[in-house]
Amino acid sequence: MTFEIGKLMAASTVAGAMMASAAMAETELRMMWYNDGIEGEVMQSLLDRFEAANPDISVTLDVVPYKSIMEGLPIQLAAGAGPDLARVTDLGGLNKYYLDLTPHISDTAYWEASFGPFLDWLAPDSDQISGFMTQLTVTGPYVNKTLFEQAEVAMPGEGATWDDWAAAVNQVAEKLDIPIPMAWDRSGHRVSGPAIAMGAQMFDAAGEPALVDDGLKEMTQRLYDWHQDGTMSKELWGSVSGSTYLGANEDFANAQVVMYMSGSWQIPQFADKIGDAFDWWAVPAPCGAAACTGMPGGAALVAMKDTKHPAEVGKLMDFLAQEESLAEFYGKTLFIPGHLKLATGGVDFATDDPRAKHALQTFSGAVPTISPVAFDLQGYKNNRVMFNALISRLNEAIVGELTLDQAYARMEEDIANQLAEKALE
């Protein structure tokens, strides 16, 4: 009986401690988050540290699929039922839902000095501070270097074109019976960089969207042809419709793809999932007539204006945005820093993997070569309208529902209609 009473008293003590802890956390914040690799684990460790220093604030990290960020979050925000903070990639497109952190952070000068050019991506039409980049990304290809060596095919070097790479990966795939010579993320963002390399301008002289031009046609014609001749797999892009995103990271990790057009955010995932199973090698963006460029981009952690706790959100953002916190975050996640000082060599990346180190160097080195057109497109607040029209209509042509000329006309119609709708909001 004494033992039973002891157990009850112990249980009561634990329950009391839990209730006391919950009572101390007077403010509860929710952060919607998606993962490319281990960044959720790293963020949770920072949140644990923040909560220990601020016992009156608790933060729940809600990890969701990327599709939920792209499709579900805008619906929640429109209904006024969104989280307090979220990790987003539609940086300017969701701008109307962002909180201006300026009254709630301790040193706006630090934020402006540390994140200056990227703050404009989040607030294209104002000077407000809404968040910071959890990662700066650069699009570009990975190749399975081991397959090239096994096939005894030389990898194209610096200055190689997309046509050079298409020829090379087909040689490798044919010699080794690899099912997919080349795969791209099904994403308008991913297509835009190579299109700009071919000469696409994306905007007219007045700065208005003008997606379809000769440069865009040069690249999309190649994508269409590659899907018809087997360079790319119709089964990948054709398995979904509309503007739905689809990656080929698992196919590449399983050595079913010779070349994969994606971006720098895949580095931590490949370091973890592929490791040294084969040499996954980042290569410079292939060239077109106008440039050798990918697209800049990234993910940002932003505060939402409908939060009921702006002061506490500001305190959390101040903590996470500090140089020490971000150096740890970027270093452990193997992300290219979106903090200006840290980007100049202030991060000790936590990897001994030569493939990961080479990829980080390759993508970091690509930043100065990015076309100004690509930066302008990334900073355009309605770029998602352009990306979605591009990928959805191009895919309809690839699977035979439209001709390419019909697809181009539909792209322009989609953009005009959606921009008109946004103007009425």
Side-chain angles (χ1 to χ4, degrees):
M1 179 65 71
T2 302
F3 178 69
E4 292 297 327
I5 292 174
K7 286 201 296 182
L8 287 171
M9 292 178 64
S12 176
T13 301
V14 171
M18 292 175 66
M19 291 174 64
S21 176
M24 289 180 66
E26 297 173 359
T27 300
E28 297 181 6
L29 303 179
R30 304 197 74 88
M31 180 187 297
M32 182 180 282
W33 188 267
Y34 76 92
N35 285 327
D36 285 318
I38 64 166
E39 62 268 33
E41 300 171 26
V42 182
M43 176 55 69
Q44 186 61 63
S45 68
L46 292 173
L47 295 179
D48 291 343
R49 199 176 309 159
F50 173 80
E51 290 178 332
N54 299 274
D56 58 324
I57 304 173
S58 66
V59 187
T60 299
L61 188 68
D62 293 318
V63 179
V64 300
Y66 181 62
K67 184 177 181 180
S68 297
I69 297 289
M70 294 301 298
E71 300 177 9
L73 177 61
I75 295 173
Q76 292 182 30
L77 293 172
D84 299 282
L85 310 97
R87 184 182 185 212
V88 302
T89 56
D90 187 3
L91 305 178
L94 296 174
N95 158 267
K96 64 183 178 180
Y97 300 112
Y98 298 163
L99 172 70
D100 184 1
L101 286 166
T102 305
H104 309 294
I105 52 180
S106 59
D107 186 357
T108 57
Y110 166 80
W111 281 73
E112 290 165 355
S114 300
F115 310 109
F118 310 122
L119 297 178
D120 292 338
W121 285 356
L122 299 174
D125 300 321
S126 73
D127 295 328
Q128 78 175 41
I129 296 173
S130 301
F132 63 87
M133 301 299 288
T134 59
Q135 68 193 117
L136 180 65
T137 62
V138 182
T139 64
Y142 296 87
V143 297
N144 187 323
K145 187 181 176 189
T146 300
L147 294 179
F148 273 90
E149 293 168 351
Q150 291 174 346
E152 298 182 335
V153 173
M155 285 173 44
E158 187 174 350
T161 66
W162 278 106
D163 293 337
D164 295 332
W165 276 105
V169 298
N170 273 302
Q171 288 181 50
V172 173
E174 184 176 350
K175 283 191 175 184
L176 301 179
D177 197 26
I178 304 300
I180 306 173
M182 184 190 293
W184 289 34
D185 288 337
R186 188 183 186 278
S187 160
H189 183 270
R190 236 60 85 236
V191 174
S192 293
I196 291 169
M198 293 294 180
Q201 294 300 304
M202 298 295 171
F203 301 96
D204 61 21
E208 296 300 321
L211 178 65
V212 180
D213 61 12
D214 289 343
L216 183 101
K217 290 180 179 180
E218 281 281 334
M219 193 67 241
T220 52
Q221 180 70 60
R222 282 169 171 79
L223 288 165
Y224 176 87
D225 291 342
W226 290 339
H227 276 92
Q228 310 313 313
D229 67 19
T231 300
M232 296 178 70
S233 168
K234 278 188 179 182
E235 283 69 29
L236 290 179
W237 282 20
S239 66
V240 292
S241 60
S243 59
T244 301
Y245 169 84
L246 184 71
N249 47 299
E250 291 187 7
D251 298 280
F252 182 75
N254 291 327
Q256 301 298 295
V257 176
V258 182
M259 183 181 202
Y260 176 33
M261 173 60 178
S262 190
S264 56
W265 57 92
Q266 300 287 4
I267 295 172
Q269 180 180 166
F270 288 165
D272 179 50
K273 290 188 175 181
I274 302 175
D276 60 1
F278 62 82
D279 282 337
W280 47 278
W281 213 243
V283 297
C287 298
C292 310
T293 187
M295 277 290 293
L301 181 65
V302 295
M304 299 303 176
K305 68 180 182 182
D306 281 344
T307 179
K308 294 180 173 61
H309 310 288
E312 290 82 358
V313 167
K315 181 180 285 190
L316 172 61
M317 292 293 271
D318 254 342
F319 172 83
L320 295 175
Q322 292 308 301
E323 192 173 316
E324 179 182 354
S325 299
L326 286 178
E328 178 180 342
F329 181 82
Y330 296 137
K332 289 182 177 179
T333 57
L334 308 185
F335 285 161
I336 297 173
H339 181 288
L340 296 179
K341 183 177 179 182
L342 294 175
T344 61
V347 175
D348 181 17
F349 290 108
T351 181
D352 294 322
D353 188 327
R355 292 155 294 269
K357 287 185 175 180
H358 176 268
L360 286 164
Q361 292 169 355
T362 299
F363 285 113
S364 297
V367 174
T369 72
I370 294 173
S371 165
V373 177
F375 273 110
D376 289 345
L377 179 58
Q378 183 60 28
Y380 176 51
K381 67 178 180 179
N382 291 318
N383 60 20
R384 190 67 53 181
V385 171
M386 299 174 70
F387 295 148
N388 289 348
L390 171 55
I391 199 64
S392 60
R393 297 306 186 179
L394 173 60
N395 203 67
E396 288 178 349
I398 286 170
V399 300
E401 296 175 2
L402 299 173
T403 67
L404 268 177
D405 285 339
Q406 288 171 334
Y408 297 143
R410 295 286 181 86
M411 290 176 195
E412 293 178 326
E413 290 172 7
D414 289 348
I415 292 170
N417 291 338
Q418 290 181 45
L419 291 180
E421 290 176 7
K422 285 182 175 292
L424 297 174
E425 292 179 356

